Amino acid sequence: MTEPKITLATAWLDGCSGCHMSFLDLDERLIALADRIELVYSPLVDAKTLPETVDLGILEGAISSEEDLEKARLFRARCRLLVSLGDCAVTGNVPAMRNAFRVEAVLDRAYRENVTCNPQIPSLGVPALRCPVKPIHHEVSVDVFVPGCPPSADTIWYVLSELIAGRMPEPARVTRFGA
Amino acid sequence: MHLEDLEALAARYHAEETHEQEIRVCVAASCQSSGSLPVLEALQSACAGQGNGRCKVKGVGCMGLCSAGPLVAVAKRHAPLNESVLYRAVTPQDAAEILASSGGAPVERLRCPTDQPFFQRQVRIVLERSGLIDPESLPEAIAHGGYSALIQAITEMTPAEVIREVTASGLRGRGGAGYPTGLKWSTVAKMPGAQKYVICNADEGDPGAFMDRAVLESDPHRVLEGMAIAAYAIGASKGYVYVRAEYPLAVARLETAIRAARRAGFLGARVADTPFGFDIELRLGAGAFVCGEETALMASIEGLRGQPRPRPPYPAESGLWGCPTLINNVETFANIASIVRRGSDWFASIGTQGSKGTKVFALAGRIKNTGLIEVPMGISLRTIIEEIGGGIPDGKGFKAVQTGGPSGGCIPADYLDTPVDYDSLKSLGTIMGSGGMIVMDETACMVDVARFFMEFCMSESCGKCVPCRTGTWQMHALLDRIARGEGTPEDLALLEELCEVVQSMSLCGLGQTAPNPVLSTLRYFRHEYEAKLQNQPLRKPQTQRGTG
Amino acid sequence: MPLSTARSNVRVVTLKIDGRDLSAREDETLLEVCREHRIPVPSLCYLEGLSVWAGCRLCMVELVNQNRLVASCATRAAEGMEVQTDSERLRRYRRTLIELLFAERNHVCAVCVSNGHCELQTLAQRLGIDHIRFAYRQAHEVLDSSHELFRLDHNRCILCTRCVRVCDEIEGAHVWDVMGRGSQCRIISDLAIPWGQSETCTNCGKCVQVCPTGALIKQGTSAGEMVKDRHFLPILARRRAR
Ligand SMILES: Cc1cc2nc3c(=O)[nH]c(=O)nc-3n(C[C@H](O)[C@H](O)[C@H](O)COP(=O)(O)O)c2cc1C
Ligand code: SF4
Ligand code: SF4
Ligand code: SF4
Ligand code: FES
C-alpha cells in the first residue's frame, strides 16, 4: 500500500444503532474497505478518545441531549469531513417525535407509568435532555447527508467509495428519506 | 335631470342656509376616538341656547391633523379650511367660549394655526369637501358640487368621451400598483357581455393606513359618484363597495349616502331620469388583508373563501360571477368627479410626467404632525416630512420613512429629496402603495421593522400557495433569530434566498411583495443586520444625518 | 374554475418548450402540453381531472425573453410562446419549495404509511434533496381517526386541496374545505367536525386515493402499506364533463 489510509471516526447520538448495523451489512466489502480506511474511533472499536484530527467523521442519530450536542461539536471540530448518516441524523426522524410532548411527560411515560418495579426517573450520570430534538446540521455544519432509515449497505458503500475516490457523493441518487 | 336642474338645486340649498358662521366639529373616526362627539353636542346645545341662527354647528369629516383632535373649525359659511380659525384638543367645557368668539377674536389658548405648512402645502382634490361638509347630508354635498360630474357625464358625454377624459387625465390606480385607470376602464368597456360590474375596493388592510376610511367617512357621495360615472362609462348596472367591517362609521355613512342617493335619483333604475340604471350594494369584509387583492375580494363577494386565483383571466375579462368587472380603489373613484368636472387638462397639470394629480397619505410614526394629508405628486419626501409633518419630535434625528406598508420598503435620509411619484419610489426599492407613510427616528431598529411587517404578512397569508404560506413563516423565524442576536451568517444567507423564492414564486401580490421590507432594509441598513449576527464584531452603524 | 372551460372554436398554436417546437390547442395549459410530450415538470396540486388550484408553485416555468415565471398548470399555451421548464434557477426554487413543505409539518417518512408511495417523498428525491435547511416548524397537528374506513393525519398534509376538489367536483359531496390562514390552515370536514361525524361524507374514498401524501389514508394500514390508485379520476372526469 502506497496511499496512506483515511482515518474514520463514527459515533451514534440519539439513534437506534441501525445505521451502524447497516454499515456492518457491508459484509465482505468491509475487507476491501479496511485496506483504505482506518477506524480510529467508533462504538465498533475499543478506542476511548477521538483523535485530534480525523479525515472522516460519521454521525448517526439526532441531537437529543447535552452529550449529543457536545459530541457533535467535538466531531465537527476534529473531522475534516462530517457525514450525517441516516434519517435521525438528517431529519430528527423518530427521536424528534417526542417534540410533540413536554419532556417531563415523555419521561413519566417511559420511567413511571409503564414501569412496575421501582419506577423512577434516572438522574445520576445521565445527560440532560434538550428540547427540541434537532437534526445534526441544525447545530453544527455537516458536509454530506445520507438519508434512509437506515440507509442500505449499498448506499453506504456508494457514499464511502465516492469519498475515498475524492468525489462528493450525491446520496439522493440512491437513497431518500425513509428509504 | 340636467346640469341646470342640479345647479338650481344647489342654489336652493345655498339660499336655505342663512347662517354667517359655521362651527365645524370633526366627527371622523380619529377625532371621535379622542372625544369629538361630546364636543359637538356641547356646541350644539350652546348654539341652540343662543338661538339667533347666526351660527350653525355641524359635524364634518377629517380635517387632517388627527394628532391634535378633537378639531373644531370656526369659519364663514363655506370658507375653506385654511381661511378658518382652527382649534385643537377641544373639550366640551370650551364650547361656550368658542361660540362666543365666533366671528370675533379667536380663543388663543386653543388655537391651531392654519398658516403652517401642514395646511398651506397641501392640495386638496380627493379631500376637497372633507372637513367642510356634513358627510351625512346629501344637500351639503350637492351644494358643494356633488353629483354635477355624474349629471354632466350622463347627459352631455358619451361613455367613450368619459373614458377618453379619464385616460387623458393620466390618473393611475391609488390601490397600490398604479395601473392606468383609463386603460382599465376602456378594457372593461370593450369586453362583450350584457352584465358588467363595478367594484370599489375599500378593504384597506395596510397597517397604519386610513386614507380610504377618511374619504368614506368624510365625503361618501364623492365615491358613489365616481362609481356611477365608471358604471356609465363601461356599461355596468350594478356596483359593490367592499368595505371592511372594522370601519363601522364608514359603513354607516355609506349606507346613509346610498339611501339618500337612491331617494334623490342618483342611483337606481333610472339615474337622474335617464335610461342609465345603476345601483350600489355594500359588502362587508371580515378583516383579512388578502381580501383587498382583487380576485380574493371577488371570491369573497361571491360568498367563497377569500383566496386569490391566478390571473389571467383578469377581472376585466372574467370577474364577479365570470362577468367583466371593473375594480378600483376608493381614492381612485374619489378623483373621477373632479376630473370630469374640471377637465383632464387641469388634472394632468398637477403632478409629474408619469404620475398625475395628488395622493393622500396617512402620516404616522415618529413625526410631529400625524394625520391625513393630500399632496401633489412630485412633492419631495423632505417637504412632506420636514415641512408638512413638522419634523421628528423630541429632538431626535430622522432615520427612514416606510411607504407601501407590508408590500413596500423604507427610504433612508440620503434619498429624502426624491419626488413622490410611482416611478421614483419604485427605483428606490419601495412602492407608492395605497398611502401609508410611517416615519422612523434614529432609535428605530430596522431588523425589528422588517420583522414587524413579516409577522403581518405571515399571519395574513391566505395559505393557498406554498412559498408565501411557509416562506413567510420561515422568514419571520429567521428575522426573529437575527433580531434576538442569535442569527448566524448562514441565517442571513438563507433569509436572502427565501426573499428571492417567495418573491418570484408566490401566487398573488401579498406573497410576491412580502419580502420587500426585508430587501429594502437590507439594501440600506445591512450593517444593522450584520451587527446582530453571532461571531460578528459589533460594528458601529454610521450615524445618519438628522433632519427636522 | 375558469381554466377548464373548453371553447368550441379553439385554435391551434405553435410554441417552443425547452427548444422544441410543439403545437397545442390554445385552451390547453402549458403543463398539459408538457405532460403530453413527456416533458417532466414537477407538480403537487395539479391532478388531471380536477380544476386548477395553482397553489404548490412547483410547476412554475420560465417565459423566455420575459424574465418571468408562470405556473404552467394555470397558463394557457399561446402562439409564439417560448418556455423553459428546467434551469439552475428553477431547480433551486423548486428544491426550496419542497424543503419548505417538509419543514412545515411533521414528515417522518420511516414510520409513515405512505413511505415509498408518496409524491412528496418521491419529488424530494428527484430534486436531489437530502436534508432540510430550514427550521422545523414543530407544529404538532392532530390525527382524525373518527371515520370507520379512513384516517386523516394533518401532520402529513401539504394543503394541496386535491381532496377538497375531488370531493366537490367529482363526488359532489363537498365534505372537505380549508379553514384558517397561513400555516395555520387546515383541511376540515363539514364545519370542522370529526370526519366520522360528517353527514355529507359518502364513504367513497376518492379523497384518500387522490391525496399525494400520507395525510389521507385507509384505516388499518401500517408503515409503507398505503398504496394509492387514482386511475378512476380521468375516466370519471371525462364522463362528468359530458
Ligand atoms: C394583498 C393585497 C392587498 C390589497 N389590498 C388592497 C386594498 O386594501 N385596497 C385597494 O384598493 N387595493 C388593494 N390591493 C390592490 C387590488 O388588488 C387592486 O389592484 C386595486 O384595488 C385596483 O384598484 P386601482 O387600480 O384603483 O388601484 C391589494 C392587493 C394585494 C395583492
Ligand atoms: S401569495 Fe400568499 S396570500 Fe397570495 S395566494 Fe399565495 S398564500 Fe395566498
Ligand atoms: S407523507 Fe410522504 S413525505 Fe411525509 S412522512 Fe409520509 S412518506 Fe414522508
Ligand atoms: S389531505 Fe391530502 S389531498 Fe387533502 S390537502 Fe392534505 S395533502 Fe392534499
Ligand atoms: S401544479 Fe401548478 S401550482 Fe401546483
Side-chain angles (χ1 to χ4, degrees):
Chain A
M1 290 305 288
T2 47
E3 280 182 73
K5 284 193 182 181
I6 292 166
T7 52
L8 169 69
T10 78
W12 76 60
L13 311 180
D14 195 2
C16 69
S17 84
C19 297
H20 274 77
M21 296 303 126
S22 199
F23 179 80
L24 291 180
D25 282 343
L26 285 172
D27 296 338
E28 72 282 2
R29 284 175 287 191
L30 284 170
I31 298 164
L33 210 55
D35 282 344
R36 301 301 325 276
I37 276 181
E38 188 186 346
L39 197 54
V40 291
Y41 177 87
S42 168
L44 306 172
V45 297
D46 273 343
K48 292 284 183 286
T49 51
L50 183 68
E52 285 298 323
T53 51
V54 182
D55 293 327
L56 184 60
I58 296 182
L59 288 176
E60 166 194 331
I63 294 181
S64 302
S65 70
E66 296 300 340
E67 190 199 7
D68 296 336
L69 181 60
E70 210 171 288
K71 259 200 192 147
R73 287 190 174 147
L74 194 67
F75 262 65
R76 179 66 277 179
R78 298 191 176 178
C79 301
R80 300 221 325 262
L81 212 69
L82 192 59
V83 178
S84 272
L85 182 67
D87 274 352
C88 298
V90 173
T91 73
N93 203 29
V94 175
M97 287 169 76
R98 82 150 148 93
N99 290 345
F101 311 95
R102 283 185 17 259
V103 78
E104 295 78 23
V106 175
L107 287 172
D108 247 23
R109 174 64 63 90
Y111 291 100
R112 277 203 244 264
E113 283 172 38
N114 295 330
V115 175
T116 45
C117 175
N118 192 16
Q120 58 172 319
I121 292 175
S123 56
L124 280 182
V126 289
L129 293 183
R130 293 175 57 86
C131 288
V133 176
K134 285 185 189 174
I136 293 170
H137 65 281
H138 284 183
E139 288 292 350
V140 304
S141 67
V142 170
D143 305 301
V144 180
F145 301 86
V146 189
C149 187
S152 66
D154 287 346
T155 298
I156 297 175
W157 178 248
Y158 160 76
V159 169
L160 288 178
S161 315
E162 292 290 295
L163 287 173
I164 289 168
R167 290 187 295 261
M168 252 333 208
E170 293 175 35
R173 295 164 66 156
V174 291
T175 184
R176 55 166 164 75
F177 300 131
Chain B
M1 188 189 280
H2 288 277
L3 211 47
E4 302 82 69
D5 306 325
L6 191 73
E7 276 160 10
L9 202 59
R12 210 182 77 214
Y13 291 138
H14 275 297
E16 280 169 8
E17 307 223 293
T18 53
H19 60 276
E20 297 154 25
Q21 292 280 320
E22 272 178 4
I23 302 185
R24 307 177 193 137
V25 183
C26 172
V27 289
S30 300
C31 278
Q32 276 202 15
S33 67
S34 47
S36 70
L37 286 184
V39 173
L40 177 68
E41 275 168 35
L43 278 163
Q44 271 167 341
S45 61
C47 184
Q50 220 179 33
N52 56 12
R54 199 179 63 84
C55 199
K56 179 178 174 180
V57 177
K58 66 182 185 184
V60 296
C62 185
M63 293 185 250
L65 199 54
C66 305
S67 54
L71 292 174
V72 173
V74 181
K76 281 219 190 75
R77 180 151 56 95
H78 300 320
L81 183 59
N82 51 12
E83 289 168 24
S84 69
V85 178
L86 188 64
Y87 296 118
R88 57 185 297 152
V90 180
T91 62
Q93 287 75 44
D94 304 324
E97 207 178 338
I98 290 176
L99 191 69
S101 74
S102 80
V107 187
E108 284 305 331
R109 74 185 164 85
L110 295 172
R111 189 100 186 262
C112 178
T114 51
D115 55 0
Q116 53 173 317
F118 183 87
F119 296 101
Q120 298 296 332
R121 299 296 304 246
Q122 295 196 42
V123 173
R124 292 182 149 223
I125 296 174
V126 167
L127 300 177
E128 65 179 350
R129 293 196 294 250
S130 175
L132 216 56
I133 62 159
D134 177 353
E136 305 195 353
S137 157
L138 177 61
E140 288 219 357
I142 292 175
H144 287 83
Y147 291 103
S148 60
L150 173 65
I151 305 296
Q152 184 185 337
I154 57 182
T155 58
E156 295 173 10
M157 297 164 83
T158 64
E161 277 167 353
V162 175
I163 292 176
R164 214 174 304 139
E165 233 8 48
V166 173
T167 308
S169 75
L171 175 66
R172 291 168 68 173
R174 302 294 194 236
Y179 191 81
T181 306
L183 181 58
K184 201 187 257 186
W185 285 26
S186 75
T187 312
V188 187
K190 283 181 179 147
M191 282 292 161
Q195 179 69 56
K196 293 182 189 176
Y197 294 99
V198 172
I199 298 176
C200 173
N201 188 341
D203 196 49
E204 197 168 52
D206 293 27
F210 53 92
M211 302 75 54
D212 297 348
R213 186 191 73 194
V215 172
L216 294 172
E217 286 174 357
S218 308
D219 193 2
H221 287 290
R222 172 174 214 86
V223 179
L224 303 184
E225 186 179 1
M227 289 177 72
I229 295 172
Y232 173 72
I234 64 157
S237 57
K238 181 87 205 236
Y240 290 93
V241 183
Y242 188 88
V243 51
R244 44 193 326 204
E246 289 95 325
Y247 285 175
L249 191 59
V251 171
R253 294 208 171 135
L254 272 170
E255 277 169 350
T256 309
I258 291 173
R259 246 182 286 125
R262 270 190 205 136
R263 234 179 291 126
F266 297 122
L267 292 176
R270 288 179 56 82
V271 172
D273 299 323
T274 66
F276 165 61
F278 178 65
D279 206 359
I280 296 178
E281 253 185 70
L282 287 189
R283 281 285 184 276
L284 301 198
F289 176 57
V290 74
C291 284
E293 196 279 341
E294 53 192 29
T295 60
L297 186 151
M298 292 186 306
S300 174
I301 291 183
E302 290 177 22
L304 304 170
R305 185 176 153 86
Q307 276 185 326
R309 58 153 176 81
R311 297 172 306 176
Y314 287 89
E317 182 189 343
S318 172
L320 258 191
W321 293 289
C323 300
T325 301
L326 172 76
I327 175 163
N328 275 129
N329 167 260
V330 170
E331 195 183 327
T332 313
F333 281 127
N335 272 299
I336 297 298
S338 300
I339 292 173
V340 170
R341 214 164 357 104
R342 303 170 76 167
S344 54
D345 291 343
W346 161 79
F347 191 84
S349 71
I350 306 165
T352 65
Q353 180 65 28
S355 309
K356 301 298 186 191
T358 59
K359 180 77 196 81
V360 181
F361 286 103
L363 263 186
R366 304 293 294 149
I367 187 149
K368 281 194 191 121
N369 302 330
T370 59
L372 199 73
I373 59 166
E374 182 172 0
V375 290
M377 295 276 191
I379 193 172
S380 77
L381 283 163
R382 191 182 296 283
T383 312
I384 295 184
I385 290 160
E386 293 179 2
E387 295 189 31
I388 297 177
I392 315 297
D394 309 327
K396 293 276 190 330
F398 168 87
K399 184 165 194 179
V401 54
Q402 158 93 20
T403 66
S407 317
C410 64
I411 303 161
D414 291 349
Y415 298 94
L416 270 185
D417 292 311
T418 308
V420 172
D421 62 57
Y422 289 101
D423 311 297
S424 304
L425 291 181
K426 198 166 170 204
S427 71
L428 292 183
T430 179
I431 56 167
M432 173 84 75
S434 54
M437 198 176 263
I438 302 169
V439 180
M440 288 162 275
D441 70 17
E442 59 196 357
T443 62
C445 164
M446 299 317 276
V447 182
D448 280 346
V449 170
R451 179 175 59 175
F452 168 80
F453 284 115
M454 192 55 74
E455 185 172 2
F456 180 82
C457 290
M458 172 181 80
S459 40
E460 292 297 332
S461 161
C462 80
K464 177 168 180 173
C465 72
V466 176
C468 169
R469 182 181 80 225
T470 68
T472 53
W473 190 92
Q474 290 288 353
M475 287 194 285
H476 178 260
L478 287 164
L479 284 165
D480 198 46
R481 271 172 69 119
I482 296 173
R484 285 201 317 259
E486 294 167 12
T488 61
E490 291 80 45
D491 287 337
L492 187 55
L494 211 52
L495 178 65
E496 292 194 88
E497 174 164 354
L498 273 177
C499 284
E500 188 188 337
V501 173
V502 174
Q503 193 171 47
S504 355
M505 301 215 98
S506 290
L507 170 59
C508 87
L510 195 158
Q512 288 159 3
T513 59
N516 287 358
V518 182
L519 290 169
S520 105
T521 48
L522 271 172
R523 175 166 167 186
Y524 298 116
F525 300 97
R526 195 178 186 92
H527 54 268
E528 290 196 20
Y529 283 80
E530 284 168 351
K532 282 180 174 285
L533 298 183
Q534 271 181 5
N535 317 322
Q536 284 271 327
L538 218 75
R539 252 197 290 155
K540 246 183 101 128
Q542 296 166 307
T543 41
Q544 299 285 342
R545 256 185 320 117
T547 69
Chain C
M1 286 281 149
L3 282 155
S4 51
T5 51
R7 295 189 211 143
S8 49
N9 55 342
V10 282
R11 288 185 311 162
V12 172
V13 297
T14 56
L15 70 168
K16 236 190 183 76
I17 301 184
D18 296 344
R20 288 166 64 186
D21 287 310
L22 301 171
S23 64
R25 284 201 327 273
E26 66 175 355
D27 63 350
E28 276 181 302
T29 64
L30 294 177
L31 188 62
E32 284 166 342
V33 181
C34 288
R35 290 281 144 95
E36 190 183 320
H37 294 279
R38 302 198 182 285
I39 299 168
V41 176
S43 67
L44 276 174
C45 66
Y46 169 82
L47 200 58
E48 188 190 345
L50 298 184
S51 63
V52 170
W53 179 244
C56 76
R57 316 306 284 168
L58 281 161
C59 72
M60 290 193 90
V61 295
E62 286 173 14
L63 290 188
V64 184
N65 307 330
Q66 280 195 38
N67 190 28
R68 202 160 63 90
L69 304 184
V70 294
S72 63
C73 68
T75 307
R76 288 215 166 108
E79 183 61 43
M81 226 179 207
E82 262 191 71
V83 178
Q84 193 69 39
T85 68
D86 196 22
S87 69
E88 191 34 61
R89 174 177 176 217
L90 282 173
R91 274 197 295 270
R92 183 158 58 87
Y93 287 3
R94 288 168 181 162
R95 274 199 297 269
T96 305
L97 290 185
I98 296 282
E99 283 183 71
L100 286 170
L101 281 174
F102 271 97
E104 186 179 32
R105 301 237 170 144
N106 304 290
H107 294 271
V108 192
C109 299
V111 296
C112 178
V113 292
S114 283
N115 190 9
H117 313 285
C118 166
E119 292 185 38
L120 179 63
Q121 187 189 39
T122 310
L123 260 183
Q125 186 179 16
R126 231 179 79 194
L127 292 169
I129 294 166
D130 54 20
H131 70 292
I132 310 301
R133 292 168 299 163
F134 302 108
Y136 290 99
R137 203 168 64 96
Q138 307 288 4
H140 298 283
E141 301 282 344
V142 294
L143 189 99
D144 183 349
S145 272
S146 59
H147 196 285
E148 60 176 325
L149 298 175
F150 313 118
R151 190 182 289 175
L152 168 58
D153 185 353
H154 291 285
N155 289 295
R156 312 281 199 254
C157 173
I158 57 168
L159 295 169
C160 68
T161 73
R162 283 188 190 180
C163 55
V164 178
R165 286 172 286 151
V166 81
C167 184
D168 177 40
E169 297 162 16
I170 305 294
E171 178 63 8
H174 202 132
V175 174
W176 299 109
D177 218 317
V178 184
M179 141 185 136
R181 287 186 205 170
S183 273
Q184 313 281 342
C185 275
R186 266 230 237 138
I187 297 296
I188 50 167
S189 34
D190 288 354
L191 294 172
I193 57 168
W195 192 0
Q197 290 168 25
S198 163
E199 293 187 351
T200 50
C201 176
T202 62
N203 303 340
C204 77
K206 290 188 178 68
C207 55
V208 173
Q209 299 303 336
V210 299
C211 175
T213 68
L216 283 169
I217 50 189
K218 280 194 200 150
Q219 291 277 18
T221 45
S222 167
E225 289 179 2
M226 185 66 224
V227 185
K228 302 192 175 179
D229 175 7
R230 52 186 73 104
H231 284 106
F232 70 92
L233 186 58
I235 301 165
L236 277 189
R238 250 192 313 275
R239 286 194 196 146
R240 282 225 141 215
R242 235 174 256 156

